[in-house]
Amino acid sequence: MSWLHAAVLLPFIFALIIPIVYRFVKRIHIGWFTLPVPVVLFIYFLSYISTTMSGNHRFAQLLWMPQIGMNFNLYVDGLSLLFSLLITGIGSLVTFYSISYLSKNEQLGNFFCYLLLFMGAMLGVVLSDNVFMLYLFWEMTSFSSFLLISFWRTRQASLYGAQKSLLITVFGGLSLLGGLILMTLSGHSTSIRHLIAHASEIQSSPTFILAMILILFGAMIKSAQFPFYIWLPDAMEAPTPVSAYLHSATMVKAGIYLVARLTPIFALSEGWIWTVTAIGLITLFWGSLNATKQLDLKGILAFSTVSQLGMVMAMLGIGAVSYHYQGAQSQFYAAAFIAAVFHLINHATFKCALFMVAGIIDHETGTRDVRKLGGLMTVMPISFTITVITALSMAGVPPFNGFLSKESFLEAMINVTHSHLFSLNTLGVLIPIVAIVGSLFTFVYSVRFIGQIFWGTYKPESLPDKPHEPSVMMWIAPAFLAVLVVVFGLFPAILTQSIIDPASRAISNAYIPHAEFHLFHGFTPAFFATLFIYAAGIGLIFAYHKWVKVIEAIPERLELNYLYDRSGRYMPFYSKKITRTYMSGFIRNKLIVILGSLIVLTLITLLCMPFSLNFEHVSRLRTTEIIIVIMILASATMIVFARSRLFSIIMLSAVGYSMAIFFIFFNAPDLALTQFVVETISTALFLLCFYHLPNLNRYNESRSFKIGNALIAAGVGLAVTVLGLIAYGNQHFESIAAYYKANVHSLAHGNNMVNVILVDFRGTDTLFESSVLGIAGLGVYTLIKLRSKHKNGYERVEENEQTEK
């Protein structure tokens, strides 16, 4: 195991330790024990900057399940290093902020445990070179975010948001898994580096388009792209540190990372370029438009995250055009990759700070409702300063870092109309229009965010708490981020060679020259577009109450939220109704469903798939075997026509004992003894339970009831017989029996083949089978202890429903 593996596993190890420490250390805030983890990891990943700057990478391999190609292989290049630094750097600030934000009365052991799980899962996603390990960590982010969002589990809104995010993102994860499987089958490898190097094999595969669609679904859902963004606003019910971390550097950036990482494979597809660009621009427009009408501070920031992620996604789509050109033209469009990488960093700085400010406002005033806020500039001057810097950066106002990446974004959107590929020079004229309109509303909600909190009339009577500046510890983290916003805006060269250039090279196939950002690029179309955004944005702010009613009038039925809520309301009702059709309390009804399905599936398989019966190697029947078969048939027939339960039990035992005699003639005494023991115990149990059997008279059954039973029984018998004959007559592999015969003594040092197979060769199977029996026994015991003595479950449910009505 390498140090890189240790770095990924460190958060998981501390996630187990922190809850234990929390139980025994009460005087010191548990956050102080958690903080060293992200800080140490951030310092560790900083050491890789020199490696990626020189164009090199770091690969660490750890075999885990090589038989299925699932190994714990990690890979550090410019792109993965960028995300690792964001995850650990922002994670350090969020952890520090949490120490002052969360009181000791909270379940802090659980909180920091979940936070470290989330951090480790995100590191696994961005550093994994194995597609299946990437998927494993991908789903772990969904699970850990569910725990974080539902941290305040006594609140219904928290549980609703957590469930919503889990259901939607896990659905996206399953789509991603399907795409990754198709990609590995066509690329003949589970290594991401190998798949990128052999992208031509994947591109020529007939499953290329399907794999691309499935992977895009997974990435779009994870990064809250339109129309799957609905889970993100409801995730705001999480504690503010979680929201700051989730929105700025972690979960929602996972989809962005995936699109950037797999761009070299799918960029040659016209569908990839148009889908990524179009979905990104629609998300930018729709998110910024909805942010303008929100009344909750975190709601505004949630929709702003949606819009900002759409902006980055659109830049990745435009950058993919560079794969269709060579030389200077390729670099011309690859500049969009540079802008996307720079905006990822900028968004992490100003968005994390803004969420922390929103948490401060909520913490110190008791509300996030903008209708109750206003006039806090003189009361909270430090918070006001931080908000102005970071919100104006989000709006794209100089001299802050957001302005530089926003200018590059507009320039990329305008330049793409010069391309003569895929109708970009005709239909592509819509791209800069949508980009400018989306940026316009971004300017509006960003400036209004400042004004709604700090300008206007001070309304102390509407605030639950008397507002004041927080403790120094609470504003250190957002103040530090605000300083970075200014520094990166004035001195972007700090990032270009060290982080932006290596990350861009990892995405692009073109040579990426040294990136340069300037506060003034001349009188370019992007410059005039920016002036228009400022002028029109100021006008829209002053006329806000006139046009916002149009946005508020958009019917809810046009949103995916409506469909989600409706399905969440009616699916339990119909599923309960369907369940009651076969969960009637009678085992026979359940057996009809199970056995009927077996008959239907067998019939469909026989009709759709070719099969043959081969009797060449069938052994001859001996007289003794014929006699035993007659005994079994006679006993089974007597069970059907028996009028006494006692006689039925005896005949059932006769069938079992006859099978044991079969084993004796087949030279399997161990199996025979086992069968004798099982039948004896079963018979004894039947007799012990005889008194408690239901008082039902089977001879009052109707003819149709008996005919149905006969058809099911005959169908199952015929299906099992045919399947057995097909399996016997179509052996495609050599039997493993020869291997056991040859090695049972030399490898396991035993003479009893059956015992050796069960204990040595298949010892793990036997262990798990025993575990399953133990778990089943615990389940049966629990059900017996919890059952009601007077009413069954269905009666209680019906009674509760009547009470509710």
Side-chain angles (χ1 to χ4, degrees), residues 432-732:
I433 294 175
V434 177
I436 292 171
V437 174
S439 301
L440 171 62
F441 285 108
T442 299
F443 178 84
V444 172
Y445 70 68
S446 299
V447 176
R448 278 185 53 80
F449 184 85
I450 303 171
Q452 288 171 310
I453 303 174
F454 299 102
W455 298 335
T457 306
Y458 179 49
K459 296 168 282 189
E461 69 283 352
S462 63
L463 300 176
D465 302 323
K466 184 179 179 181
H468 57 86
E469 284 289 8
S471 62
V472 175
M473 277 192 58
M474 191 176 290
W475 60 256
I476 285 178
F480 178 76
L481 289 168
V483 171
L484 291 182
V485 166
V486 177
V487 171
F488 292 161
L490 296 176
F491 310 103
I494 298 174
L495 300 172
T496 51
Q497 285 186 321
S498 58
I499 296 177
I500 296 176
D501 288 348
S504 302
R505 284 197 295 266
I507 308 173
S508 176
N509 68 332
Y511 169 72
I512 299 292
H514 176 55
E516 293 184 3
F517 299 95
H518 303 284
L519 291 173
F520 181 67
H521 287 272
F523 296 100
T524 62
F527 172 77
F528 290 111
T530 300
L531 293 181
F532 169 77
I533 290 171
Y534 295 161
I538 293 172
L540 288 176
I541 291 172
F542 282 108
Y544 174 78
H545 295 287
K546 295 182 180 179
W547 58 267
V548 73
K549 296 179 182 179
V550 178
I551 301 176
E552 294 173 346
I554 297 176
E556 294 182 359
R557 296 191 176 189
L558 297 180
E559 299 183 14
L560 196 62
N561 251 329
Y562 177 79
L563 178 61
Y564 175 86
D565 291 333
R566 294 275 291 185
S567 61
R569 188 179 304 117
Y570 288 109
M571 284 180 65
F573 171 77
Y574 286 111
S575 61
K576 184 178 179 181
K577 200 171 183 179
I578 294 171
T579 302
R580 285 190 172 184
T581 59
Y582 61 87
M583 294 295 289
S584 58
F586 293 96
I587 296 177
R588 176 185 177 274
N589 294 350
K590 301 173 186 177
L591 289 175
I592 287 176
V593 174
I594 297 172
L595 299 177
S597 301
L598 172 63
I599 296 171
V600 172
L601 291 174
T602 303
L603 183 61
I604 293 173
T605 304
L606 294 177
L607 293 175
C608 298
M609 301 293 293
F611 67 93
S612 61
L613 300 178
N614 187 356
F615 298 97
E616 294 181 2
H617 303 288
V618 176
S619 302
R620 294 181 180 181
L621 288 174
R622 293 175 292 184
T623 304
T624 53
E625 294 167 356
I626 295 174
I627 294 173
I628 296 173
V629 170
I630 293 174
M631 291 173 56
I632 292 174
L633 293 175
S635 302
T637 304
M638 290 181 184
I639 293 174
V640 175
F641 295 100
R643 293 181 174 273
S644 168
R645 282 204 179 101
L646 181 61
F647 185 70
S648 298
I649 294 172
I650 294 173
M651 289 297 100
L652 185 63
S653 300
V655 173
Y657 287 128
S658 300
M659 289 298 301
I661 296 173
F662 251 130
F663 292 140
I664 293 175
F665 284 104
F666 289 156
N667 298 322
D670 290 346
L671 295 178
L673 289 173
T674 304
Q675 183 72 13
F676 278 126
V677 172
V678 170
E679 285 302 324
T680 303
I681 295 175
S682 300
T683 303
L685 288 174
F686 270 122
L687 293 174
L688 287 173
C689 299
F690 180 81
Y691 178 78
H692 300 285
L693 292 175
N695 187 21
L696 298 175
N697 190 342
R698 59 185 295 182
Y699 298 99
N700 292 332
E701 299 162 350
S702 62
R703 179 174 296 178
S704 60
F705 182 87
K706 295 179 180 179
I707 293 175
N709 286 352
L711 291 175
I712 292 290
V716 171
L718 184 61
V720 172
T721 302
V722 171
L723 290 176
L725 292 174
I726 293 174
Y728 180 81
N730 296 269
Q731 295 183 6
H732 301 287

Side-chain angles (χ1 to χ4, degrees), residues 209 212-220 225-228 259 266-267 269-284 309-310 312-318 320-321 422 424 431:
I209 298 298
M212 182 185 73
I213 293 172
L214 293 175
I215 289 173
L216 278 179
F217 259 112
M220 299 295 180
Q225 298 296 291
F226 183 90
F228 307 109
V259 171
F266 297 104
S269 169
E270 175 186 358
W272 176 272
I273 294 173
W274 270 108
T275 302
V276 174
T277 304
I279 293 296
L281 289 175
I282 293 171
T283 304
L284 165 65
L309 292 173
V312 176
M313 195 70 76
M315 286 187 275
L316 292 176
I318 297 302
V321 178
F422 314 135
L424 289 171
I431 292 176

Side-chain angles (χ1 to χ4, degrees), residues 69-87:
M70 189 172 179
N71 296 318
F72 192 15
N73 298 338
L74 302 176
Y75 177 73
V76 179
D77 63 353
L79 184 63
S80 56
L81 179 61
L82 164 66
F83 281 89
S84 298
L85 291 173
L86 289 177
I87 292 165

